[in-house]
């Protein structure tokens, strides 16, 4: 059954233009001319994605979206705003009030990309709620497609993390959660605009700030889908550093949950050993020596030792497929 998308704007010609734009989509389009009408519709129907204008008589779009967050938390909220109100929109994103914003007058392709991401985000939460493994992996791969340098990254990170977890005799159930958490660790990137993800130039301050939100957004998805705490921890804390200088919480040492420290080692190792547009991936022995230099500052020294030991002592323990392929930009 197609999901519902709801457009809210006080100008009828805009509503009609939006409806036309998504005619060929597998979505059912609903329209409302003000916040009140929109709220009535939301009481009656499941809305996957809500695209709202900001300046409307009565309630503003932002107010509407924060109400919707309360009454229909699964609905993905997109704000349309004039360029002049950009600061408000960015602030709303940072506070988690809205998923993304679109500047008016909009560019059709940009708007379609954002709505696609919104629909994907909605489907991710729905699927994760009663996910089987095949679905989880294919979701992780959908997210990787957005970021052209991360193909295969999640699966390789899972394999490395499991290698480490096995050596630590982590219980079976937790190992399963580590696998799923590794697959999903970057799922918050669904909220990061393509233009930032696939930018070959160094990112400016604002872009870096948005990029750094991906652990938080990903953890929101996982919580909404009622995934286990181990999985949420992996997603939320995979960019923490052992010395406390990571993001977003700045946790130090063993205050970072073990599962997140494990995945961080796997994530960093995979990023180093895979090709980037601007450099070739390192050879395993080179990457292992760099890992050693990250002991105690970026990574848990004990875990690095065990991991390096596993990689060098028992090459047969490694799945061949985890030794090659793309990789994530460590931003
Ligand atoms: Fe990440
Ligand atoms: Fe990653």
């Amino acid at each position: 059954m197609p999901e519902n998308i709801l457009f809210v704007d006080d100008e009828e010609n805009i509503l009609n233009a939006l409806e036309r734009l998504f005619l060929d989509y597998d979505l059912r389009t609903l329209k409302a001319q003000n916040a009140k009408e929109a709220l009535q519709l939301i009481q009656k129907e499941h809305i996957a994605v809500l695209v709202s204008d900001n300046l409307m008589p009565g309630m503003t779009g932002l107010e509407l979206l924060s109400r919707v967050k309360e009454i229909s938390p699964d609905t993905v909220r997109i704000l349309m705003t004039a360029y002049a109100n950009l600061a408000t929109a960015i602030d709303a994103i940072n506070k988690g009030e809205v998923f993304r914003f679109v500047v008016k007058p909009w560019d059709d392709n940009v708007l379609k990309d954002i709505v696609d991401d919104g629909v994907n985000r909605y489907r991710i939460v729905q699927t994760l709620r009663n996910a089987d493994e095949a679905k989880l992996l294919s979701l992780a791969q959908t997210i990787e497609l957005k970021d052209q340098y991360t193909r295969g990254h999640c699966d390789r990170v899972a394999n490395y993390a499991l290698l480490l977890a096995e050596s630590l005799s982590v219980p079976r159930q937790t190992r399963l959660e580590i696998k799923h958490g590794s697959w999903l660790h970057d799922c918050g990137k669904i909220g990061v605009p393509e233009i930032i993800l696939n930018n070959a130039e160094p990112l400016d301050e604002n872009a870096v700030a948005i990029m750094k939100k991906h652990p938080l957004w990903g953890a929101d998805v996982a919580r909404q889908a009622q995934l286990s705490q181990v999985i949420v921890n992996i997603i939320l804390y995979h960019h923490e550093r052992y010395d406390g200088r990571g993001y977003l919480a700045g946790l130090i040492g063993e205050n970072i949950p073990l599962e997140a420290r494990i995945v961080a080692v796997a994530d960093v190792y995979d990023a180093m050993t895979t090709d980037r547009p601007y450099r070739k991936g390192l050879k395993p022995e080179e990457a292992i020596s760099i890992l050693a230099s990250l002991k105690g500052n970026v990574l848990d020294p004990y875990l690095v030792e065990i991991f390096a030991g596993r990689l060098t002592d028992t090459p047969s323990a490694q799945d061949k497929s985890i030794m090659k392929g793309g990789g994530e930009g460590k931003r």
Side-chain angles (χ1 to χ4, degrees), residues 62-74:
L62 258 180
E63 284 170 299
L64 168 65
L65 295 184
S66 66
R67 288 264 193 109
V68 172
K69 189 182 177 183
E70 300 300 318
I71 58 175
S72 174
D74 283 2

PDB file of all heavy atoms in Angstrom, residues 62-74:
ATOM      1  N   LEU A  62       6.694  25.651  11.465  1.00  0.00           N
ATOM      2  CA  LEU A  62       7.536  25.110  12.544  1.00  0.00           C
ATOM      3  C   LEU A  62       6.701  24.660  13.743  1.00  0.00           C
ATOM      4  O   LEU A  62       6.944  23.599  14.315  1.00  0.00           O
ATOM      5  CB  LEU A  62       8.529  26.179  13.009  1.00  0.00           C
ATOM      6  CG  LEU A  62       9.954  26.033  12.504  1.00  0.00           C
ATOM      7  CD1 LEU A  62      10.821  27.151  13.048  1.00  0.00           C
ATOM      8  CD2 LEU A  62      10.540  24.671  12.889  1.00  0.00           C
ATOM      9  N   GLU A  63       5.712  25.478  14.095  1.00  0.00           N
ATOM     10  CA  GLU A  63       4.831  25.093  15.209  1.00  0.00           C
ATOM     11  C   GLU A  63       4.069  23.812  14.862  1.00  0.00           C
ATOM     12  O   GLU A  63       3.934  22.909  15.691  1.00  0.00           O
ATOM     13  CB  GLU A  63       3.822  26.214  15.508  1.00  0.00           C
ATOM     14  CG  GLU A  63       4.425  27.387  16.251  1.00  0.00           C
ATOM     15  CD  GLU A  63       3.463  28.567  16.310  1.00  0.00           C
ATOM     16  OE1 GLU A  63       3.077  29.101  15.246  1.00  0.00           O
ATOM     17  OE2 GLU A  63       3.081  28.942  17.410  1.00  0.00           O
ATOM     18  N   LEU A  64       3.596  23.773  13.623  1.00  0.00           N
ATOM     19  CA  LEU A  64       2.873  22.573  13.176  1.00  0.00           C
ATOM     20  C   LEU A  64       3.766  21.339  13.316  1.00  0.00           C
ATOM     21  O   LEU A  64       3.362  20.309  13.871  1.00  0.00           O
ATOM     22  CB  LEU A  64       2.421  22.746  11.716  1.00  0.00           C
ATOM     23  CG  LEU A  64       1.914  21.481  11.016  1.00  0.00           C
ATOM     24  CD1 LEU A  64       0.631  20.972  11.671  1.00  0.00           C
ATOM     25  CD2 LEU A  64       1.665  21.717   9.524  1.00  0.00           C
ATOM     26  N   LEU A  65       5.022  21.465  12.822  1.00  0.00           N
ATOM     27  CA  LEU A  65       5.912  20.308  12.849  1.00  0.00           C
ATOM     28  C   LEU A  65       6.215  19.864  14.275  1.00  0.00           C
ATOM     29  O   LEU A  65       6.325  18.668  14.538  1.00  0.00           O
ATOM     30  CB  LEU A  65       7.196  20.614  12.080  1.00  0.00           C
ATOM     31  CG  LEU A  65       7.022  20.854  10.572  1.00  0.00           C
ATOM     32  CD1 LEU A  65       8.364  21.059   9.897  1.00  0.00           C
ATOM     33  CD2 LEU A  65       6.291  19.704   9.905  1.00  0.00           C
ATOM     34  N   SER A  66       6.326  20.816  15.203  1.00  0.00           N
ATOM     35  CA  SER A  66       6.632  20.345  16.554  1.00  0.00           C
ATOM     36  C   SER A  66       5.404  19.692  17.194  1.00  0.00           C
ATOM     37  O   SER A  66       5.548  18.763  17.983  1.00  0.00           O
ATOM     38  CB  SER A  66       7.287  21.421  17.424  1.00  0.00           C
ATOM     39  OG  SER A  66       6.398  22.446  17.664  1.00  0.00           O
ATOM     40  N   ARG A  67       4.198  20.123  16.830  1.00  0.00           N
ATOM     41  CA  ARG A  67       2.993  19.401  17.274  1.00  0.00           C
ATOM     42  C   ARG A  67       2.975  17.975  16.714  1.00  0.00           C
ATOM     43  O   ARG A  67       2.654  17.015  17.416  1.00  0.00           O
ATOM     44  CB  ARG A  67       1.731  20.089  16.755  1.00  0.00           C
ATOM     45  CG  ARG A  67       1.431  21.363  17.432  1.00  0.00           C
ATOM     46  CD  ARG A  67       0.408  21.142  18.570  1.00  0.00           C
ATOM     47  NE  ARG A  67      -0.069  22.447  18.983  1.00  0.00           N
ATOM     48  CZ  ARG A  67      -1.294  22.893  18.737  1.00  0.00           C
ATOM     49  NH1 ARG A  67      -2.174  22.112  18.172  1.00  0.00           N
ATOM     50  NH2 ARG A  67      -1.628  24.104  19.084  1.00  0.00           N
ATOM     51  N   VAL A  68       3.297  17.888  15.418  1.00  0.00           N
ATOM     52  CA  VAL A  68       3.264  16.582  14.744  1.00  0.00           C
ATOM     53  C   VAL A  68       4.265  15.631  15.386  1.00  0.00           C
ATOM     54  O   VAL A  68       4.011  14.437  15.523  1.00  0.00           O
ATOM     55  CB  VAL A  68       3.524  16.745  13.229  1.00  0.00           C
ATOM     56  CG1 VAL A  68       3.699  15.402  12.551  1.00  0.00           C
ATOM     57  CG2 VAL A  68       2.380  17.519  12.588  1.00  0.00           C
ATOM     58  N   LYS A  69       5.409  16.194  15.800  1.00  0.00           N
ATOM     59  CA  LYS A  69       6.424  15.364  16.461  1.00  0.00           C
ATOM     60  C   LYS A  69       5.813  14.664  17.681  1.00  0.00           C
ATOM     61  O   LYS A  69       6.125  13.510  17.972  1.00  0.00           O
ATOM     62  CB  LYS A  69       7.585  16.246  16.888  1.00  0.00           C
ATOM     63  CG  LYS A  69       8.780  15.478  17.395  1.00  0.00           C
ATOM     64  CD  LYS A  69       9.883  16.423  17.838  1.00  0.00           C
ATOM     65  CE  LYS A  69      11.033  15.627  18.418  1.00  0.00           C
ATOM     66  NZ  LYS A  69      12.105  16.493  18.923  1.00  0.00           N
ATOM     67  N   GLU A  70       4.932  15.360  18.394  1.00  0.00           N
ATOM     68  CA  GLU A  70       4.279  14.777  19.568  1.00  0.00           C
ATOM     69  C   GLU A  70       3.212  13.747  19.192  1.00  0.00           C
ATOM     70  O   GLU A  70       3.182  12.652  19.734  1.00  0.00           O
ATOM     71  CB  GLU A  70       3.588  15.877  20.403  1.00  0.00           C
ATOM     72  CG  GLU A  70       4.520  16.950  20.936  1.00  0.00           C
ATOM     73  CD  GLU A  70       5.592  16.373  21.836  1.00  0.00           C
ATOM     74  OE1 GLU A  70       5.259  15.494  22.656  1.00  0.00           O
ATOM     75  OE2 GLU A  70       6.771  16.789  21.700  1.00  0.00           O
ATOM     76  N   ILE A  71       2.326  14.143  18.251  1.00  0.00           N
ATOM     77  CA  ILE A  71       1.170  13.275  18.016  1.00  0.00           C
ATOM     78  C   ILE A  71       1.440  12.153  17.014  1.00  0.00           C
ATOM     79  O   ILE A  71       0.751  11.145  17.010  1.00  0.00           O
ATOM     80  CB  ILE A  71      -0.093  14.073  17.583  1.00  0.00           C
ATOM     81  CG1 ILE A  71       0.173  14.882  16.310  1.00  0.00           C
ATOM     82  CG2 ILE A  71      -0.586  14.969  18.695  1.00  0.00           C
ATOM     83  CD1 ILE A  71      -1.074  15.581  15.795  1.00  0.00           C
ATOM     84  N   SER A  72       2.435  12.332  16.162  1.00  0.00           N
ATOM     85  CA  SER A  72       2.734  11.295  15.169  1.00  0.00           C
ATOM     86  C   SER A  72       4.238  11.225  14.956  1.00  0.00           C
ATOM     87  O   SER A  72       4.769  11.678  13.948  1.00  0.00           O
ATOM     88  CB  SER A  72       2.003  11.634  13.856  1.00  0.00           C
ATOM     89  OG  SER A  72       2.383  10.737  12.851  1.00  0.00           O
ATOM     90  N   PRO A  73       4.963  10.658  15.958  1.00  0.00           N
ATOM     91  CA  PRO A  73       6.428  10.721  15.935  1.00  0.00           C
ATOM     92  C   PRO A  73       7.074  10.052  14.715  1.00  0.00           C
ATOM     93  O   PRO A  73       8.187  10.414  14.343  1.00  0.00           O
ATOM     94  CB  PRO A  73       6.845  10.028  17.232  1.00  0.00           C
ATOM     95  CG  PRO A  73       5.637   9.398  17.799  1.00  0.00           C
ATOM     96  CD  PRO A  73       4.433  10.008  17.171  1.00  0.00           C
ATOM     97  N   ASP A  74       6.396   9.105  14.099  1.00  0.00           N
ATOM     98  CA  ASP A  74       6.998   8.440  12.933  1.00  0.00           C
ATOM     99  C   ASP A  74       6.985   9.303  11.679  1.00  0.00           C
ATOM    100  O   ASP A  74       7.735   9.060  10.741  1.00  0.00           O
ATOM    101  CB  ASP A  74       6.251   7.129  12.617  1.00  0.00           C
ATOM    102  CG  ASP A  74       6.640   6.017  13.580  1.00  0.00           C
ATOM    103  OD1 ASP A  74       7.456   6.301  14.487  1.00  0.00           O
ATOM    104  OD2 ASP A  74       6.137   4.897  13.425  1.00  0.00           O
TER     105      ASP A  74
END
